[in-house]
Amino acid sequence: MFLSLDTSTLTMSLALVERGPDGVRAVEHLVVPPPVKQSEALPGVVGELLARHDTRLADLEGLVVGLGPGSFTGLRIGLATVKSLAYAAQLKVAGASSLAALALEGPEDVPLYCLAVARKDDLYLGAYVRRGGTVEALEPETAMSPQEVAVRMAAEPRAVALGPALVGYHAALVSHGVAAERLVAGHDFPSAVALARLARFPEEFSLQALFAMEPHYVRASEPERNPKFPPLPGPAPTARLKDD
């Protein structure tokens, strides 16, 4: 049994899951929508979930966390919580892409453009294809404008879009020429259960690997983009950005 968590959007998804011969099964899946503050709710929700199933943190096989891309604040809250719990109980941790988790619940055998909000008029895009219980990345995750997403979809007529960005950008994508039937509704946040199905645990607990785990930010934060605050001298913080 293990605990899975995604805080890449304003809706927190938390699940207690168990792995068996038939794969991963949700014991209980919780969804905590806004306006609840994740930083305030998360510790209590985790404790209550474990208590309801008479499970201690030390009883778990490990922890799973969504690495984004998504809300910078949400990702930091989720990963900091998971790292703290893992350190305290010496638990293995597995991370997986939040956009890939969205793709795992999308239609099969077509290009899936999984979209999340990066900032105003800027969307994260992960291009995937789902085949059964696995997803394959078609290219590295990136960020682009709604108009650029529409151009990409025009170049790939089989592609459909899904994800939390459609809540606020459905009309904008349609106005840029994307047919409404190619926008798949109902995927407003990455599911912690889907995330758990993608996760692959390391062989053993490693303190170095735990501290080295970073979110998939994809793009620089607003303070990093501000020309009034140039980068500090020293090596560029490339670890903050997802590898291709």
Side-chain angles (χ1 to χ4, degrees):
M1 190 173 293
F2 51 100
L3 190 72
S4 181
L5 168 71
D6 188 273
T7 54
S8 65
T9 72
L10 295 179
T11 297
M12 180 171 66
S13 178
L14 179 70
L16 187 63
V17 299
E18 61 181 7
R19 194 199 329 259
D22 298 324
V24 171
R25 180 186 73 86
V27 176
E28 184 178 349
H29 180 205
L30 293 176
V31 176
V32 182
V36 174
K37 290 186 178 180
Q38 295 177 352
S39 58
E40 297 176 358
L42 186 51
V45 171
V46 169
E48 292 167 4
L49 175 60
L50 294 177
R52 276 197 299 276
H53 298 277
D54 195 24
T55 301
R56 300 174 305 159
L57 188 63
D59 296 331
L60 299 175
E61 174 186 352
L63 305 171
V64 178
V65 61
L67 297 178
S71 161
F72 279 32
T73 300
L75 293 176
R76 287 193 292 268
I77 291 169
L79 192 53
T81 300
V82 165
K83 284 185 174 184
S84 299
L85 295 175
Y87 179 75
Q90 301 288 283
L91 294 174
K92 296 182 289 186
V93 174
S97 165
S98 302
L99 296 183
L102 287 167
L104 192 60
E105 298 188 308
E108 289 191 74
D109 297 323
V110 296
L112 301 173
Y113 289 175
C114 302
L115 304 174
V117 176
R119 58 190 177 95
K120 184 177 180 181
D121 295 328
D122 192 18
L123 308 179
Y124 293 119
L125 183 147
Y128 290 91
V129 61
R130 179 172 81 86
R131 296 186 177 92
T134 64
V135 295
E136 174 188 345
L138 301 177
E139 59 188 69
E141 293 170 348
T142 188
M144 59 179 61
S145 69
Q147 185 173 5
E148 290 171 324
V149 172
V151 171
R152 289 284 300 280
M153 294 191 70
E156 177 49 87
R158 296 177 61 244
V160 298
L162 66 156
L166 295 189
V167 175
Y169 286 89
H170 186 285
L173 291 168
V174 170
S175 72
H176 290 307
V178 180
E181 59 268 23
R182 298 179 66 190
L183 303 177
V184 182
H187 301 270
D188 297 345
F189 59 90
S191 162
V193 178
L195 198 72
R197 293 185 173 126
L198 293 176
R200 298 295 179 266
F201 283 106
E203 290 295 325
E204 59 186 18
F205 173 80
S206 166
L207 197 59
Q208 182 178 4
L210 176 65
F211 288 155
M213 182 174 287
E214 291 284 343
H216 296 169
Y217 286 120
V218 173
R219 67 173 184 85
S221 66
E222 290 306 312
E224 290 171 324
R225 295 160 62 97
N226 191 331
K228 295 182 179 179
F229 299 96
L232 295 174
T238 53
R240 290 173 54 81
L241 303 179
K242 183 183 175 185
D243 294 332
D244 290 350

Short mmCIF file of all heavy atoms in Angstrom, two decimals, residues 143-190:
data_model
loop_
_atom_site.label_atom_id
_atom_site.label_comp_id
_atom_site.label_asym_id
_atom_site.label_seq_id
_atom_site.Cartn_x
_atom_site.Cartn_y
_atom_site.Cartn_z
N ALA A 143 5.70 24.90 -22.94
CA ALA A 143 4.69 25.92 -22.67
C ALA A 143 4.48 26.74 -23.92
O ALA A 143 5.43 27.04 -24.65
CB ALA A 143 5.13 26.82 -21.51
N MET A 144 3.23 27.12 -24.19
CA MET A 144 2.91 27.91 -25.38
C MET A 144 1.58 28.61 -25.19
O MET A 144 0.83 28.30 -24.25
CB MET A 144 2.89 27.03 -26.63
CG MET A 144 1.89 25.89 -26.60
SD MET A 144 1.91 24.91 -28.15
CE MET A 144 3.58 24.32 -28.18
N SER A 145 1.28 29.53 -26.08
CA SER A 145 0.03 30.28 -26.00
C SER A 145 -1.13 29.44 -26.55
O SER A 145 -0.92 28.48 -27.28
CB SER A 145 0.15 31.56 -26.83
OG SER A 145 0.22 31.24 -28.22
N PRO A 146 -2.38 29.82 -26.20
CA PRO A 146 -3.53 29.11 -26.78
C PRO A 146 -3.52 29.12 -28.30
O PRO A 146 -3.89 28.12 -28.94
CB PRO A 146 -4.73 29.88 -26.22
CG PRO A 146 -4.24 30.46 -24.95
CD PRO A 146 -2.80 30.81 -25.19
N GLN A 147 -3.09 30.22 -28.91
CA GLN A 147 -3.03 30.28 -30.36
C GLN A 147 -2.03 29.28 -30.90
O GLN A 147 -2.28 28.61 -31.92
CB GLN A 147 -2.67 31.69 -30.83
CG GLN A 147 -2.71 31.85 -32.34
CD GLN A 147 -2.52 33.29 -32.77
OE1 GLN A 147 -2.28 34.17 -31.94
NE2 GLN A 147 -2.65 33.56 -34.06
N GLU A 148 -0.89 29.14 -30.24
CA GLU A 148 0.12 28.16 -30.68
C GLU A 148 -0.40 26.74 -30.50
O GLU A 148 -0.10 25.86 -31.33
CB GLU A 148 1.40 28.37 -29.90
CG GLU A 148 2.14 29.65 -30.27
CD GLU A 148 3.30 29.95 -29.33
OE1 GLU A 148 3.19 29.67 -28.12
OE2 GLU A 148 4.33 30.47 -29.82
N VAL A 149 -1.17 26.50 -29.45
CA VAL A 149 -1.78 25.18 -29.28
C VAL A 149 -2.73 24.89 -30.45
O VAL A 149 -2.74 23.78 -31.00
CB VAL A 149 -2.55 25.10 -27.94
CG1 VAL A 149 -3.35 23.80 -27.86
CG2 VAL A 149 -1.59 25.20 -26.77
N ALA A 150 -3.51 25.88 -30.85
CA ALA A 150 -4.44 25.71 -31.97
C ALA A 150 -3.70 25.40 -33.26
O ALA A 150 -4.13 24.55 -34.06
CB ALA A 150 -5.29 26.97 -32.14
N VAL A 151 -2.56 26.05 -33.48
CA VAL A 151 -1.76 25.78 -34.68
C VAL A 151 -1.25 24.35 -34.65
O VAL A 151 -1.25 23.65 -35.66
CB VAL A 151 -0.59 26.79 -34.77
CG1 VAL A 151 0.38 26.39 -35.88
CG2 VAL A 151 -1.12 28.20 -35.01
N ARG A 152 -0.81 23.91 -33.47
CA ARG A 152 -0.31 22.54 -33.34
C ARG A 152 -1.42 21.53 -33.63
O ARG A 152 -1.19 20.50 -34.27
CB ARG A 152 0.21 22.33 -31.91
CG ARG A 152 1.52 23.06 -31.60
CD ARG A 152 2.69 22.33 -32.24
NE ARG A 152 2.78 20.99 -31.74
CZ ARG A 152 3.32 20.64 -30.58
NH1 ARG A 152 3.85 21.56 -29.80
NH2 ARG A 152 3.34 19.38 -30.20
N MET A 153 -2.61 21.81 -33.14
CA MET A 153 -3.72 20.88 -33.35
C MET A 153 -4.17 20.87 -34.81
O MET A 153 -4.60 19.84 -35.33
CB MET A 153 -4.89 21.23 -32.43
CG MET A 153 -4.55 21.01 -30.95
SD MET A 153 -5.98 21.11 -29.87
CE MET A 153 -6.87 19.61 -30.33
N ALA A 154 -4.05 22.00 -35.48
CA ALA A 154 -4.38 22.04 -36.91
C ALA A 154 -3.40 21.19 -37.71
O ALA A 154 -3.78 20.58 -38.73
CB ALA A 154 -4.35 23.48 -37.40
N ALA A 155 -2.16 21.10 -37.26
CA ALA A 155 -1.16 20.30 -37.95
C ALA A 155 -1.29 18.82 -37.64
O ALA A 155 -0.71 17.99 -38.36
CB ALA A 155 0.25 20.78 -37.57
N GLU A 156 -2.03 18.46 -36.59
CA GLU A 156 -2.25 17.06 -36.23
C GLU A 156 -3.75 16.83 -36.06
O GLU A 156 -4.30 16.92 -34.97
CB GLU A 156 -1.49 16.75 -34.92
CG GLU A 156 -1.67 15.35 -34.39
CD GLU A 156 -1.46 14.28 -35.44
OE1 GLU A 156 -0.31 13.86 -35.63
OE2 GLU A 156 -2.46 13.86 -36.07
N PRO A 157 -4.45 16.55 -37.17
CA PRO A 157 -5.92 16.48 -37.13
C PRO A 157 -6.48 15.42 -36.19
O PRO A 157 -7.64 15.51 -35.79
CB PRO A 157 -6.29 16.17 -38.59
CG PRO A 157 -5.10 16.59 -39.40
CD PRO A 157 -3.91 16.36 -38.53
N ARG A 158 -5.70 14.41 -35.84
CA ARG A 158 -6.19 13.35 -34.97
C ARG A 158 -6.09 13.71 -33.50
O ARG A 158 -6.66 13.04 -32.64
CB ARG A 158 -5.42 12.05 -35.23
CG ARG A 158 -5.60 11.47 -36.62
CD ARG A 158 -4.74 10.23 -36.82
NE ARG A 158 -5.09 9.17 -35.90
CZ ARG A 158 -4.28 8.68 -34.96
NH1 ARG A 158 -3.06 9.17 -34.82
NH2 ARG A 158 -4.67 7.70 -34.17
N ALA A 159 -5.36 14.75 -33.17
CA ALA A 159 -5.11 15.09 -31.78
C ALA A 159 -6.36 15.65 -31.10
O ALA A 159 -7.17 16.34 -31.72
CB ALA A 159 -3.97 16.10 -31.68
N VAL A 160 -6.49 15.33 -29.82
CA VAL A 160 -7.53 15.95 -28.98
C VAL A 160 -6.84 16.57 -27.77
O VAL A 160 -5.73 16.15 -27.39
CB VAL A 160 -8.60 14.92 -28.53
CG1 VAL A 160 -9.33 14.35 -29.73
CG2 VAL A 160 -7.97 13.81 -27.69
N ALA A 161 -7.47 17.57 -27.20
CA ALA A 161 -6.91 18.26 -26.03
C ALA A 161 -7.76 17.99 -24.81
O ALA A 161 -8.99 17.83 -24.90
CB ALA A 161 -6.83 19.76 -26.29
N LEU A 162 -7.11 17.91 -23.66
CA LEU A 162 -7.79 17.71 -22.40
C LEU A 162 -6.96 18.33 -21.28
O LEU A 162 -5.81 18.68 -21.49
CB LEU A 162 -8.03 16.22 -22.11
CG LEU A 162 -6.80 15.33 -21.88
CD1 LEU A 162 -7.18 14.11 -21.07
CD2 LEU A 162 -6.20 14.88 -23.21
N GLY A 163 -7.55 18.44 -20.11
CA GLY A 163 -6.79 18.94 -18.97
C GLY A 163 -7.43 20.15 -18.33
O GLY A 163 -8.39 20.74 -18.84
N PRO A 164 -6.89 20.57 -17.18
CA PRO A 164 -7.48 21.68 -16.41
C PRO A 164 -7.49 23.01 -17.13
O PRO A 164 -8.32 23.87 -16.82
CB PRO A 164 -6.60 21.73 -15.15
CG PRO A 164 -5.36 20.99 -15.49
CD PRO A 164 -5.75 19.96 -16.49
N ALA A 165 -6.62 23.22 -18.11
CA ALA A 165 -6.61 24.50 -18.82
C ALA A 165 -7.88 24.72 -19.63
O ALA A 165 -8.23 25.86 -19.94
CB ALA A 165 -5.39 24.59 -19.74
N LEU A 166 -8.60 23.65 -19.96
CA LEU A 166 -9.82 23.81 -20.76
C LEU A 166 -10.92 24.53 -19.98
O LEU A 166 -11.84 25.10 -20.59
CB LEU A 166 -10.34 22.45 -21.23
CG LEU A 166 -9.44 21.67 -22.20
CD1 LEU A 166 -10.19 20.47 -22.75
CD2 LEU A 166 -8.95 22.55 -23.33
N VAL A 167 -10.83 24.51 -18.65
CA VAL A 167 -11.85 25.21 -17.84
C VAL A 167 -11.86 26.69 -18.19
O VAL A 167 -12.93 27.30 -18.36
CB VAL A 167 -11.58 25.01 -16.34
CG1 VAL A 167 -12.55 25.84 -15.51
CG2 VAL A 167 -11.67 23.54 -15.97
N GLY A 168 -10.68 27.29 -18.33
CA GLY A 168 -10.63 28.72 -18.62
C GLY A 168 -10.32 29.08 -20.05
O GLY A 168 -10.50 30.25 -20.44
N TYR A 169 -9.86 28.11 -20.85
CA TYR A 169 -9.39 28.44 -22.20
C TYR A 169 -10.13 27.69 -23.31
O TYR A 169 -9.71 27.72 -24.45
CB TYR A 169 -7.88 28.16 -22.30
CG TYR A 169 -7.06 29.19 -21.57
CD1 TYR A 169 -6.74 29.02 -20.22
CD2 TYR A 169 -6.63 30.35 -22.20
CE1 TYR A 169 -6.02 29.98 -19.53
CE2 TYR A 169 -5.90 31.31 -21.52
CZ TYR A 169 -5.59 31.12 -20.19
OH TYR A 169 -4.87 32.07 -19.51
N HIS A 170 -11.24 27.06 -22.98
CA HIS A 170 -12.04 26.37 -24.00
C HIS A 170 -12.47 27.36 -25.09
O HIS A 170 -12.26 27.12 -26.29
CB HIS A 170 -13.26 25.73 -23.34
CG HIS A 170 -14.09 24.89 -24.27
ND1 HIS A 170 -14.95 25.42 -25.21
CD2 HIS A 170 -14.21 23.54 -24.39
CE1 HIS A 170 -15.56 24.46 -25.87
NE2 HIS A 170 -15.12 23.30 -25.39
N ALA A 171 -13.05 28.49 -24.68
CA ALA A 171 -13.54 29.47 -25.65
C ALA A 171 -12.40 30.04 -26.48
O ALA A 171 -12.55 30.26 -27.70
CB ALA A 171 -14.29 30.59 -24.93
N ALA A 172 -11.25 30.29 -25.85
CA ALA A 172 -10.11 30.85 -26.59
C ALA A 172 -9.62 29.88 -27.64
O ALA A 172 -9.31 30.29 -28.78
CB ALA A 172 -8.99 31.20 -25.62
N LEU A 173 -9.54 28.61 -27.32
CA LEU A 173 -9.08 27.62 -28.30
C LEU A 173 -10.06 27.49 -29.45
O LEU A 173 -9.66 27.39 -30.62
CB LEU A 173 -8.88 26.26 -27.61
CG LEU A 173 -7.70 26.21 -26.63
CD1 LEU A 173 -7.76 24.94 -25.79
CD2 LEU A 173 -6.37 26.29 -27.37
N VAL A 174 -11.35 27.51 -29.14
CA VAL A 174 -12.36 27.45 -30.21
C VAL A 174 -12.26 28.69 -31.10
O VAL A 174 -12.35 28.61 -32.33
CB VAL A 174 -13.77 27.32 -29.60
CG1 VAL A 174 -14.85 27.51 -30.68
CG2 VAL A 174 -13.93 25.96 -28.92
N SER A 175 -12.02 29.87 -30.48
CA SER A 175 -11.92 31.10 -31.27
C SER A 175 -10.70 31.07 -32.20
O SER A 175 -10.69 31.75 -33.23
CB SER A 175 -11.84 32.31 -30.34
OG SER A 175 -10.58 32.38 -29.68
N HIS A 176 -9.68 30.28 -31.84
CA HIS A 176 -8.50 30.16 -32.69
C HIS A 176 -8.63 29.02 -33.70
O HIS A 176 -7.66 28.70 -34.40
CB HIS A 176 -7.26 29.94 -31.83
CG HIS A 176 -6.84 31.14 -31.04
ND1 HIS A 176 -6.61 32.37 -31.62
CD2 HIS A 176 -6.60 31.30 -29.71
CE1 HIS A 176 -6.25 33.24 -30.68
NE2 HIS A 176 -6.24 32.62 -29.52
N GLY A 177 -9.82 28.41 -33.77
CA GLY A 177 -10.08 27.44 -34.83
C GLY A 177 -10.12 25.98 -34.43
O GLY A 177 -10.28 25.11 -35.29
N VAL A 178 -10.00 25.67 -33.13
CA VAL A 178 -10.07 24.28 -32.70
C VAL A 178 -11.54 23.87 -32.58
O VAL A 178 -12.32 24.55 -31.90
CB VAL A 178 -9.36 24.07 -31.34
CG1 VAL A 178 -9.45 22.61 -30.91
CG2 VAL A 178 -7.92 24.52 -31.42
N ALA A 179 -11.92 22.78 -33.23
CA ALA A 179 -13.30 22.31 -33.16
C ALA A 179 -13.63 21.89 -31.73
O ALA A 179 -12.82 21.22 -31.06
CB ALA A 179 -13.51 21.14 -34.11
N ALA A 180 -14.80 22.26 -31.25
CA ALA A 180 -15.18 22.00 -29.86
C ALA A 180 -15.15 20.52 -29.53
O ALA A 180 -14.83 20.13 -28.40
CB ALA A 180 -16.57 22.58 -29.58
N GLU A 181 -15.48 19.66 -30.52
CA GLU A 181 -15.50 18.21 -30.25
C GLU A 181 -14.10 17.63 -30.03
O GLU A 181 -13.97 16.49 -29.59
CB GLU A 181 -16.21 17.47 -31.38
CG GLU A 181 -15.60 17.64 -32.76
CD GLU A 181 -16.24 18.79 -33.52
OE1 GLU A 181 -16.81 19.70 -32.87
OE2 GLU A 181 -16.17 18.76 -34.77
N ARG A 182 -13.07 18.41 -30.32
CA ARG A 182 -11.71 17.94 -30.08
C ARG A 182 -11.19 18.35 -28.70
O ARG A 182 -10.05 18.05 -28.36
CB ARG A 182 -10.77 18.49 -31.17
CG ARG A 182 -11.12 18.04 -32.58
CD ARG A 182 -10.18 18.64 -33.60
NE ARG A 182 -8.82 18.14 -33.42
CZ ARG A 182 -7.75 18.66 -34.06
NH1 ARG A 182 -7.90 19.70 -34.86
NH2 ARG A 182 -6.55 18.14 -33.86
N LEU A 183 -12.04 19.00 -27.92
CA LEU A 183 -11.68 19.41 -26.56
C LEU A 183 -12.44 18.51 -25.59
O LEU A 183 -13.66 18.62 -25.46
CB LEU A 183 -12.04 20.88 -26.34
CG LEU A 183 -11.39 21.86 -27.34
CD1 LEU A 183 -11.87 23.28 -27.10
CD2 LEU A 183 -9.88 21.79 -27.29
N VAL A 184 -11.72 17.61 -24.93
CA VAL A 184 -12.34 16.57 -24.10
C VAL A 184 -12.55 17.12 -22.69
O VAL A 184 -11.58 17.39 -21.97
CB VAL A 184 -11.46 15.31 -24.06
CG1 VAL A 184 -12.13 14.22 -23.23
CG2 VAL A 184 -11.18 14.81 -25.48
N ALA A 185 -13.80 17.26 -22.29
CA ALA A 185 -14.11 17.83 -20.98
C ALA A 185 -13.99 16.77 -19.88
O ALA A 185 -13.94 15.57 -20.15
CB ALA A 185 -15.52 18.41 -20.99
N GLY A 186 -13.95 17.25 -18.64
CA GLY A 186 -14.01 16.34 -17.51
C GLY A 186 -12.69 15.97 -16.88
O GLY A 186 -12.65 15.19 -15.94
N HIS A 187 -11.59 16.53 -17.36
CA HIS A 187 -10.27 16.23 -16.80
C HIS A 187 -9.72 17.52 -16.18
O HIS A 187 -8.79 18.13 -16.69
CB HIS A 187 -9.33 15.70 -17.88
CG HIS A 187 -9.83 14.46 -18.55
ND1 HIS A 187 -9.54 13.19 -18.08
CD2 HIS A 187 -10.63 14.27 -19.63
CE1 HIS A 187 -10.13 12.29 -18.85
NE2 HIS A 187 -10.80 12.92 -19.79
N ASP A 188 -10.31 17.91 -15.06
CA ASP A 188 -10.01 19.22 -14.48
C ASP A 188 -8.79 19.22 -13.57
O ASP A 188 -8.35 20.29 -13.12
CB ASP A 188 -11.23 19.73 -13.70
CG ASP A 188 -12.43 19.94 -14.61
OD1 ASP A 188 -12.24 19.97 -15.84
OD2 ASP A 188 -13.55 20.07 -14.07
N PHE A 189 -8.25 18.05 -13.25
CA PHE A 189 -7.06 17.96 -12.41
C PHE A 189 -6.44 16.57 -12.61
O PHE A 189 -7.14 15.61 -12.96
CB PHE A 189 -7.41 18.17 -10.93
CG PHE A 189 -8.41 17.17 -10.40
CD1 PHE A 189 -7.99 15.97 -9.84
CD2 PHE A 189 -9.77 17.42 -10.47
CE1 PHE A 189 -8.90 15.04 -9.37
CE2 PHE A 189 -10.69 16.50 -10.00
CZ PHE A 189 -10.25 15.30 -9.46
N PRO A 190 -5.14 16.44 -12.42
CA PRO A 190 -4.50 15.11 -12.52
C PRO A 190 -4.92 14.24 -11.34
O PRO A 190 -4.88 14.68 -10.18
CB PRO A 190 -3.00 15.42 -12.48
CG PRO A 190 -2.89 16.88 -12.80
CD PRO A 190 -4.15 17.51 -12.25
#
